[in-house]
Amino acid sequence: MGNQEKLLDYLKRATTDLRAARRRIAEIEHRDREPIAIVAMACRYPGGVDSPEGLWRLVDEGVDAVSEFPADRGWDTEGIYDPEPGKPGKTAAREGGFLYDAGEFDAELFGISPREAAETDPQQRLLLEVSWEVIERAGIDPLSLKGSPTGVFAGLMYHDYAKGSNGGSIVSGRVAYTLGLEGPAVTVDTACSSSLVALHMAIHALRSGDCTLALAGGVTVMSTPEMFVYFSEQRGLALDGRCKSFGAGADGVGCSEGAGVLLLERLSEARRNGHPVLAVVRGSALNQDGASNGLSSPNGPAQQRVIRAALANAGLSPADVDAVEAHGTGTTLGDPIEAQALLATYGQDRDEPLWLGSIKSNMGHAQAASGVAGIMKVVLAMRHGVLPRTLHAENPSPQVDWEAGNVRLLTEPRAWPVGGRPRRAAVSSFGISGTNAHVIVEEAPRAEDEEPEERRELPVVPIVVSARTPEALDAQIRRITQPAPGQSDLDRAFSAATGRAALEHRAVLVGSERIVDVADDGRVAFLFTGQGSQRLGMGRE
């Protein structure tokens, strides 16, 4: 072979290698930037919210879910109350956003004894239940994930349950242990930004291949009233327990509780596996305040930096985002700083205003579970095409120069129509730790081969229900007979048959389009047990 032929052969091989290298680089870049699908959501929040559908009703109807202190936690409500802020050991408010059923728990479902259940931090119990639910809502049997590389990323900031195990690491570890999940299990405590930090970590774990599915969210239950006392002593507690986010009447934070979990998957994998895609996360970023005016004082320049970093991570400009679900705690210090950061970033060089709101105005500050509540709110708003109003903000704060940029407060609900690009919203969380998080969410893209589904209604659809105990079975039946708006019997029957665990006590509900009241409308249910089958007293034959 002559020198010319050798050179030509070398150039061919070099060109082939170069093309392969470019392809690998493109694949890595795509993997690192691939949107992360939110395939399911589940939650518990004040106001009796026990599902995403309930959360939407709360914000869509403008419900104020703040109420009196719980009576079943042994709090000396009268002894610690003093209407004058700043008194040592006293709270100037006696209302907040509470999970009044936080003590309830289906222990047998998870194989936990009554004694162990009583010693287990309610935050662990809540996260277990909500994690189970979010998996089922994706159409996946939770028991089928045993041995899978599924990750658990949980935000948590309270360790005040005195009866037994309350270590923070156990919160994520118990979920992984109970379901047999073998991906990373991480508990995050950056205070109020914990659930968004957990989400950010889950996104990176999915993109790096550390896990194929990820549970991400946060939980907060206040076993003691110490946070009310702390904020009152600092004169940072709203006297009526309500967050008046960006409103003229803002006088402090209102504390609340909650639990929220997202089930996440890389978009390509979600499509391949046939899982629902509710929305996608386009970008996220974290940073720290660093040396500022104080450890717990918000830092405006740091907030601007984290916003710009999230936009860069998403490959978007500020004008590409329609709305921001703000941290918005209603403090006289924090809200003006946050608003100024939004005006300086999102508020410049845009034709349409950026719409600003906060779910904290409905239910208070759910702390380690607050950021994930904001994510759920914007996902639901995209799917319903409405931006809900922010309560207690009819008059915007005079401490904010609203003319400094094109940012407008959602004092009334606004239609959010489909435009020439996907609808997008950003969610902020700023921890008292100084750790800031910003996440950009985009409506679910339609797959290229996706066609509108042709539905055929059936005259009778059997809906299979199962549970560990008869009591839990009754609760499942009550929930199924109150379907979400737009959900047909066929939807519920398919999900129940293919995406839920088959447990010992089982029932089959037989009905047509809608089951309103099993006892009154003549439909029949059967209970199947190991001893055979028997007819339940649930309607006429």
Side-chain angles (χ1 to χ4, degrees):
M1 181 183 293
N3 290 336
Q4 188 172 0
E5 290 177 335
K6 289 181 179 179
L7 178 61
L8 182 60
D9 183 61
Y10 170 77
L11 290 174
K12 286 180 178 178
R13 284 187 284 110
T15 301
T16 300
D17 291 345
L18 181 60
R19 287 173 178 168
R22 285 176 173 171
R23 185 170 60 251
R24 287 194 297 270
I25 291 170
E27 289 172 353
I28 292 170
E29 288 179 345
H30 173 72
R31 184 193 67 190
D32 290 345
R33 289 185 175 274
E34 181 181 7
I36 298 299
I38 299 173
V39 299
M41 308 187 297
C43 62
R44 301 278 193 280
Y45 284 105
V49 170
D50 61 0
S51 67
E53 293 78 21
L55 187 68
W56 177 249
R57 286 192 292 272
L58 182 89
V59 296
D60 186 46
E61 297 173 7
V63 174
D64 181 340
V66 173
S67 190
E68 61 188 15
F69 281 3
D72 62 349
R73 301 187 192 180
W75 295 7
D76 181 11
T77 303
E78 293 303 320
I80 62 172
Y81 173 68
D82 192 301
E84 183 179 343
K87 293 287 188 67
K90 303 290 184 178
T91 171
R94 47 185 172 185
E95 289 189 315
F98 295 102
L99 302 179
Y100 292 111
D101 56 357
E104 298 180 8
F105 180 54
D106 187 0
E108 291 193 44
L109 173 63
F110 302 104
I112 296 175
S113 70
R115 177 178 177 179
E116 184 181 2
E119 294 178 347
T120 300
D121 189 332
Q123 297 174 123
Q124 295 180 30
R125 305 196 303 242
L126 266 174
L127 198 70
L128 263 178
E129 291 185 335
V130 176
S131 296
W132 179 283
E133 287 178 19
V134 78
I135 296 169
E136 285 194 332
R137 290 181 73 95
I140 302 171
D141 177 353
L143 300 181
S144 71
L145 294 181
K146 183 177 181 179
S148 70
T150 299
V152 184
F153 300 84
L156 176 84
M157 58 182 284
Y158 284 113
H159 312 273
D160 55 359
Y161 188 66
K163 290 188 178 180
S165 172
N166 60 6
S169 61
I170 304 299
V171 171
S172 57
R174 186 180 286 277
V175 174
Y177 168 79
T178 303
L179 300 179
L181 310 179
E182 297 182 2
V186 180
T187 303
V188 178
D189 183 1
T190 58
C192 312
S193 57
S194 295
S195 60
L196 284 199
V197 173
L199 173 58
H200 178 83
M201 295 175 68
I203 290 167
H204 279 260
L206 287 165
R207 287 176 173 161
S208 68
D210 288 341
C211 54
T212 54
L213 278 172
L215 297 159
V219 60
T220 290
V221 176
M222 295 176 284
S223 294
T224 72
E226 288 306 311
M227 189 54 69
F228 289 90
V229 172
Y230 169 77
F231 274 116
S232 185
E233 290 176 344
Q234 302 300 314
R235 299 182 182 271
L237 186 69
L239 299 183
D240 60 359
R242 289 161 174 81
C243 294
K244 305 163 190 72
S245 309
F246 306 104
D251 61 343
V253 67
C255 299
S256 73
E257 305 175 324
V261 177
L262 309 172
L263 186 62
L264 307 172
E265 193 172 19
R266 289 169 57 188
L267 179 59
S268 59
E269 290 298 309
R271 294 295 194 198
R272 186 177 297 113
N273 294 327
H275 295 154
V277 178
L278 307 182
V280 297
V281 179
R282 275 292 300 269
S284 63
L286 305 179
N287 75 357
Q288 237 285 336
D289 284 344
S292 60
N293 290 333
L295 175 61
S296 59
S297 297
N299 185 324
Q303 293 178 18
Q304 293 184 40
R305 289 194 295 271
V306 79
I307 289 169
R308 293 192 174 101
L311 286 167
N313 181 254
L316 299 171
S317 70
D320 292 325
V321 176
D322 305 314
V324 166
E325 173 66 16
H327 190 58
T329 56
T331 62
T332 55
L333 175 63
D335 278 12
I337 291 175
E338 182 177 7
Q340 183 56 47
L342 293 169
L343 287 160
T345 50
Y346 284 110
Q348 306 303 308
D349 302 320
R350 59 186 304 136
D351 297 326
E352 296 296 323
L354 177 90
W355 295 102
L356 178 62
S358 177
I359 196 171
K360 293 179 180 68
S361 70
N362 296 92
M363 61 185 186
H365 185 2
Q367 304 171 86
S370 62
V372 69
I375 296 287
M376 291 185 188
K377 176 185 170 182
V378 300
V379 170
L380 293 164
M382 289 174 187
R383 298 180 70 81
H384 288 272
V386 176
L387 288 165
R389 72 184 177 101
T390 292
L391 307 186
H392 320 303
E394 294 79 7
N395 298 311
S397 171
Q399 297 186 53
V400 177
D401 181 6
W402 296 102
E403 301 305 315
N406 199 0
V407 175
R408 298 292 177 266
L409 194 55
L410 282 162
T411 56
E412 296 293 337
R414 289 189 62 85
W416 196 2
V418 176
R421 60 164 175 76
R423 287 175 284 206
R424 300 187 185 100
V427 183
S428 291
S429 279
F430 308 128
I432 199 172
S433 64
T435 299
N436 306 309
H438 196 70
V439 178
I440 298 172
V441 181
E442 181 177 285
E443 68 179 322
R446 172 171 287 187
E448 293 180 1
D449 59 348
E450 184 179 353
E451 297 292 337
E453 185 179 4
E454 183 177 341
R455 303 300 298 271
R456 182 168 63 90
E457 293 299 330
L458 301 177
V460 176
V461 180
I463 302 176
V464 182
V465 189
S466 72
R468 292 282 190 209
T469 65
E471 295 78 14
L473 185 70
D474 290 342
Q476 286 274 18
I477 291 172
R478 286 195 297 273
R479 174 171 286 190
I480 281 181
T481 56
Q482 299 174 1
Q487 187 181 44
S488 69
D489 275 0
L490 188 60
D491 292 327
R492 287 177 288 154
F494 178 81
S495 297
T498 63
R500 291 182 176 169
L503 304 174
E504 294 87 338
H505 294 268
R506 305 177 188 178
V508 177
L509 304 182
V510 182
S512 57
E513 173 56 27
R514 183 178 179 184
I515 300 175
V516 177
D517 182 45
V518 175
D520 295 333
D521 67 357
R523 293 175 175 83
V524 178
F526 294 88
L527 174 66
F528 295 89
T529 67
Q531 290 73 40
S533 63
Q534 66 181 87
R535 190 180 304 276
L536 293 177
M538 302 184 71
R540 301 180 299 277
E541 295 186 32

